[in-house]
């Protein structure tokens, strides 16, 4: 998912203290410019930079996600009524479909998603998928 409106600074003291968040931001290469010669250049990220997109363009995002374009979640929690609760329910709501509901390959049943069928695989389905620093 892209987070076009989420910047590293938004997570200061929410995820990491400012010093650690600056270190984290600097691990990303950001295209900036133009410089005095009109050239674009790459530099380490800083707190005012937006999070980089996981995909270079919409077409590659669709290709990586079975034809579905992942929504931008940067403002979703404030744009959608009860957005935090919706995302929480969506992440944990994957179920086996009820009798009589056919689910084609590449889709998953989630009663919290409009229509009940979603292309995103269950992201929280087993241990070991995410490595934590601690």
């Amino acid at each position: 998912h892209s987070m076009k409106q989420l910047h590293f600074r938004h997570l200061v003291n929410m995820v990491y203290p400012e010093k650690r968040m600056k270190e984290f931001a600097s691990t990303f290469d950001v295209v900036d410019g133009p410089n005095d010669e009109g050239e674009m250049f790459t530099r380490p990220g800083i707190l005012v930079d937006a999070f980089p997109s996981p995909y270079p363009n919409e077409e590659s995002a669709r290709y990586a996600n079975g034809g579905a374009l992942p929504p931008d979640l940067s403002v979703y929690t404030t744009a959608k009524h009860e957005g935090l609760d919706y995302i929480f329910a969506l992440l944990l709501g994957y179920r086996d479909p009820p009798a009589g509901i056919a689910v084609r390959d590449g889709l998953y049943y989630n009663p919290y998603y409009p229509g009940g069928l979603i292309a995103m695989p269950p992201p929280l389905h087993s241990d070991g998928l995410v490595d934590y620093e601690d």
Side-chain angles (χ1 to χ4, degrees), residues 70-90:
D72 182 343
L73 294 179
S74 58
V75 294
Y76 203 79
T77 58
T78 55
K80 184 171 178 61
H81 180 67
E82 298 179 356
L84 283 174
D85 291 335
Y86 172 73
I87 291 173
F88 182 82
L90 186 66

Side-chain angles (χ1 to χ4, degrees), residues 33-45:
N35 62 17
D36 294 341
E37 298 170 0
E39 304 283 328
M40 300 302 283
F41 59 94
T42 303
R43 61 165 174 76

